[in-house]
């Protein structure tokens, strides 16, 4: 089956630091999505990417659809306490259903 | 207005019982999903319905039976609950042919004792 690898699994950073996480796939994807899940809530869409090379920003968040169509990254600049949560990448391979990565757990140290 | 809603939010029950979780979306989407999120927070798709028809049925015990009375509702019925069924269950919806972005409900936290 399709494989989607998300890294890192966890991050511990200081407030104000920039954050970078990525997902790689074993095959070509047509869509990349990035979600955030706050404790006790459902995942909420942050950024959607539909074309190879596409770079999209949402406030302090920036995500890119890799040129090879097998990877995507999400950057968060100048992290703040409310950025804490689990970030999921999701991708749709050609002619297949969307699959989710295992999440990156972002912790901000006091 | 809530886009995807689920009830109940919490469900605590005894092993062996039968229970249902309801989901409704008011986004006009034609596809709805059920996901299971385990204690490690891994999200795994269970079912997908498009216009009331089952299109994805992952390896899920047949004790789990989805029912879609119309395209705005997808309910999940679970028979003979087991301890391992304890998890958070998320409903989601999307529009096939559109952005295909999935919008998630708030989740139902199921605890089987």
């Amino acid at each position: 089956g399709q494989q989607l690898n998300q890294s890192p699994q966890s991050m511990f950073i200081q407030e104000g630091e920039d954050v970078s996480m990525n997902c790689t796939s074993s095959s070509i994807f047509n869509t990349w999505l990035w979600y955030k899940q706050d404790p006790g809530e459902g995942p909420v869409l942050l950024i959607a990417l539909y074309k190879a090379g596409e770079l999209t920003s949402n406030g302090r968040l920036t995500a890119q659809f890799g040129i090879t169509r097998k990877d995507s990254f999400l950057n968060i600049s100048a992290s703040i306490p409310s950025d804490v949560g689990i970030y999921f990448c999701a991708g749709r391979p050609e002619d297949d259903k969307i699959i989710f990565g295992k999440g990156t757990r972002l912790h901000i140290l006091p | 207005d809530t886009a995807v809603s689920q009830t109940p939010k919490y469900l605590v029950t005894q092993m062996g019982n039968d229970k249902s979780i309801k989901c409704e979306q008011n986004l006009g989407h034609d596809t709805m999903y059920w996901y299971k999120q385990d204690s490690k927070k891994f999200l795994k798709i269970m079912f997908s319905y498009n216009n009331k028809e089952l299109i994805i049925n992952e390896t899920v015990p047949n004790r789990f039976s989805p029912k879609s009375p119309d395209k705005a509702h997808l309910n999940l019925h679970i028979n003979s609950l087991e301890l391992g069924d304890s998890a958070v269950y998320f409903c989601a919806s999307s529009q096939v042919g559109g952005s295909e972005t999935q919008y998630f409900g708030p989740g139902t936290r199921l605890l089987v004792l």
Side-chain angles (χ1 to χ4, degrees):
Chain A
Q2 300 288 351
Q3 298 279 334
L4 193 56
N5 297 310
Q6 183 171 353
S7 65
Q9 185 174 351
S10 294
M11 300 185 73
F12 292 82
I13 63 167
Q14 298 282 346
E15 184 178 348
E17 287 186 22
D18 296 343
V19 173
S20 184
M21 59 191 79
N22 69 83
C23 273
T24 58
S25 62
S26 55
S27 58
I28 290 174
F29 276 31
N30 287 339
T31 303
W32 284 100
L33 307 168
W34 285 93
Y35 286 84
K36 183 193 177 196
Q37 184 177 20
D38 289 325
E41 303 292 333
V44 175
L45 182 70
L46 299 173
I47 293 177
L49 303 161
Y50 302 105
K51 294 181 181 178
E54 182 179 353
L55 183 71
T56 298
S57 293
N58 178 3
R60 294 177 295 105
L61 278 62
T62 302
Q64 184 161 30
F65 193 139
I67 292 291
T68 63
R69 296 172 64 192
K70 292 184 177 182
D71 63 337
S72 177
F73 71 74
L74 174 71
N75 288 340
I76 306 172
S77 62
S79 58
I80 60 177
S82 62
D83 291 335
V84 167
I86 304 176
Y87 292 80
F88 290 99
C89 67
R92 188 174 73 79
E94 293 177 319
D95 300 325
D96 206 345
K97 62 185 181 294
I98 285 181
I99 57 176
F100 281 77
K102 294 184 176 180
T104 294
R105 290 137 189 81
L106 180 62
H107 307 271
I108 296 184
L109 301 170
Chain B
D1 289 340
T2 303
V4 182
S5 59
Q6 293 178 230
T7 55
K9 185 167 185 177
Y10 298 95
L11 184 54
V12 181
T13 188
Q14 297 285 338
M15 209 165 46
N17 284 350
D18 303 339
K19 290 293 179 185
S20 292
I21 307 172
K22 295 185 177 181
C23 178
E24 176 181 3
Q25 55 96 2
N26 62 7
L27 298 167
H29 289 164
D30 57 10
T31 304
M32 296 183 72
Y33 311 81
W34 277 108
Y35 284 85
K36 180 180 180 181
Q37 187 174 46
D38 61 21
S39 58
K40 294 183 178 179
K41 306 297 184 183
F42 298 157
L43 271 170
K44 182 167 180 169
I45 192 167
M46 301 172 68
F47 301 101
S48 171
Y49 266 74
N50 178 265
N51 280 320
K52 303 197 309 176
E53 291 189 16
L54 181 66
I55 56 173
I56 293 175
N57 182 0
E58 294 297 310
T59 305
V60 175
N62 57 15
R63 298 181 294 104
F64 290 80
S65 53
K67 287 184 171 55
S68 181
D70 54 62
K71 73 174 192 177
H73 296 84
L74 181 63
N75 303 324
L76 183 65
H77 188 75
I78 315 171
N79 289 327
S80 302
L81 279 156
E82 300 178 357
L83 296 177
D85 297 333
S86 296
V88 182
Y89 292 84
F90 287 102
C91 175
S93 73
S94 70
Q95 183 65 32
V96 174
S99 69
E100 299 193 46
T101 302
Q102 294 183 19
Y103 294 85
F104 284 79
T108 295
R109 285 133 194 88
L110 171 64
L111 177 60
V112 182
L113 302 175

